[in-house]
Structure formats: C-alpha cells, structure tokens
Amino acid sequence: MEEDEFFGEETFQHYCAEFIKHSQKIGDGWEWRTSKDCSDGYMCKTQFQIKNGTAVSHRGTSAHVQTCLPMEEALEPPLDDFEVMQTTTATEVIKYEYHVLYSCSYQVPVLYFRASFLDGSPLALKDIWEGVHECYKTRLLHGPWDTITQQEHPILGQPFFVLHPCKTNEFMTPVLKNSQKINRNVNYITSWLSMVGPAVGLNLPLSYARAAFQDEGNVDRQGSSIEPKSLEEL
C-alpha cells in the first residue's frame, strides 16, 4: 500500500479478503458477513477466554473459537477432557465477538467487540477496562473514553464496545512509510490488528505476517500483483 494511497472501502475489503483467505488456511475463524438490509459488510470472529485473559478452546466447538495461545502456554502439553472441565468450571469463561468494520468518517478500519459470560450476561465497560493489557493501561488511565467506548454497531444496531479510531492514521503512517522504504509488502489489516487487538485480548498468529511476505515473493516471481478471492467467494 502506497504511503499516499487513499484507504477507501474497496481497499479495506481487498485487505480483508487476503486476511480471511489466510485465516481459512489455518482455521483461525475469521469470516466476512453482510447485512440483509444493505450491501455493507464486516469481518468477524468469536472466541472464548477465561477471565484472566488466557484464550481457551473447548472440544466439540468449531474452529471459529480457536485462537493462538501465548508462546509459553503453547509449549505446554494439551489438557485432557477432565482438565479442561476443571479449568472451565473453576474460572469464569467469557465469550468475545470481534468485528472489523470500515469507518467512512475516519477512512480506517475500526474494531468493534462485545463480551459476555456463558450465561449471557454482558460485561460492563468497567470490566472491559480492567481486562485491558498492561501495555495499554497507562494510556487508558489518562483518557479511557478516548480508547474504549460503547456505541451502537453501525450495521447490526446493537450495543458494542469500540476501540476509537482517532489515532489510527497516526500510528499506521510510520508502519506504511517503513514498509515502502524497505520495499516490503504489508497487509494493512494484519499490521493494524496486530497492534490494536492485544489491547482487548485479540492476538494474531505470526503466520499472518509470514503470509504477507510469501505473497510478496509470489508477486516478484510472477511479475504481477496477486488478486485474492472476492469476499463473495470467501
């Protein structure tokens, strides 16, 4: 993506299509949804986490709730059924829904999410703030309403939390400039989501970054850009 390229909705959907294509390869659960009432769509994923922030995946659930564990936990042997049952009954499991939409006002992607316990009761904004990653808490303490707010989902019309997009251009511009400087291909959605997602418990596997580099290699070999599947085909 060129430094001065206009990040319109078509560009947004292009990067989402590439992102979802890789997600399908690794079973990471991201998908594209459209509204019955309009042509607008969004990228979404559902996952479950225990209250202390560790992502969990239950046997019998779909790939849509599987996520990448932190490295030290990924190296531990997998739990058997009895241990999983003990873990989930001894702690509070939270269901997170993550939605990535395009903001026409800010002309950038926006992360909407909501969280609830397994009995359906939603988490309060205070609980969401308390669960923010330590790296982000300093900024949150100085201005929580500039970071996480509760708004109506622009497509679903339901209450969601949202990471405010007012600073997105500010922190993404150096990323795009650096990638252009070293002539390296980047997926805007991958770069952006890897920076904002951890604030609310959403971590991306490293293979997303490797996929962008592989696409770059394919472009060099083929002498032309790769055309990802359309969102309708995905």
Side-chain angles (χ1 to χ4, degrees):
M1 180 175 175
E2 295 293 332
E3 171 188 342
D4 57 351
E5 181 180 342
F6 173 68
F7 191 77
E9 190 163 8
E10 185 176 341
T11 305
F12 166 74
Q13 292 186 5
H14 169 85
Y15 285 119
C16 284
E18 288 186 334
F19 185 91
I20 293 173
K21 183 178 179 181
H22 181 69
S23 174
Q24 291 176 338
K25 287 182 179 179
I26 65 173
D28 196 36
W30 286 96
E31 61 181 359
W32 183 262
R33 291 182 184 173
T34 55
S35 170
K36 296 180 181 179
D37 302 324
C38 63
S39 59
D40 293 335
Y42 56 94
M43 197 171 70
C44 62
K45 174 183 179 176
T46 299
Q47 74 179 27
F48 294 89
Q49 298 180 12
I50 57 178
K51 196 172 182 180
N52 65 7
T54 302
V56 295
S57 174
H58 300 275
R59 291 182 181 273
T61 55
S62 69
H64 290 259
V65 299
Q66 295 178 351
T67 188
C68 184
L69 292 171
M71 182 61 70
E72 63 274 10
E73 296 178 24
L75 295 175
E76 296 177 357
L79 301 177
D80 58 29
D81 289 341
F82 177 71
E83 289 174 317
V84 170
M85 185 178 299
Q86 280 189 319
T87 300
T88 55
T89 54
T91 58
E92 293 179 292
V93 178
I94 302 172
K95 176 184 176 182
Y96 280 86
E97 294 179 58
Y98 298 104
H99 293 190
V100 175
L101 291 83
Y102 178 74
S103 169
C104 294
S105 300
Y106 289 91
Q107 299 176 357
V108 293
V110 185
L111 180 60
Y112 285 78
F113 67 100
R114 60 182 174 185
S116 61
F117 294 105
L118 295 185
D119 62 3
S121 57
L123 268 69
L125 184 56
K126 175 180 67 69
D127 298 320
I128 296 296
W129 287 344
E130 291 176 352
V132 169
H133 194 279
E134 290 293 333
C135 297
Y136 297 84
K137 282 192 173 179
T138 300
R139 169 170 165 75
L140 183 61
L141 290 172
H142 285 87
W145 290 104
D146 293 333
T147 307
I148 301 176
T149 59
Q150 191 167 31
Q151 298 178 8
E152 182 179 281
H153 193 291
I155 296 178
L156 301 181
Q158 301 170 359
F160 268 71
F161 296 110
V162 59
L163 284 174
H164 203 278
C166 61
K167 299 292 184 180
T168 299
N169 277 327
E170 182 179 314
F171 67 75
M172 282 301 297
T173 296
V175 175
L176 300 177
K177 283 185 176 180
N178 184 63
S179 66
Q180 184 181 24
K181 182 179 180 181
I182 62 177
N183 195 28
R184 172 153 289 177
N185 183 48
V186 296
N187 181 308
Y188 188 105
I189 296 297
T190 299
S191 300
W192 164 76
L193 202 53
S194 67
M195 287 189 281
V196 303
V200 291
L202 178 61
N203 297 291
L204 296 184
L206 290 175
S207 62
Y208 281 100
R210 290 195 294 267
F213 299 152
Q214 289 170 358
D215 288 344
E216 178 182 23
N218 291 335
V219 169
D220 292 339
R221 288 193 296 272
Q222 297 172 8
S224 61
S225 61
I226 296 174
E227 292 296 332
K229 293 182 180 179
S230 68
L231 289 168
E232 289 76 14
E233 292 176 308
L234 293 171

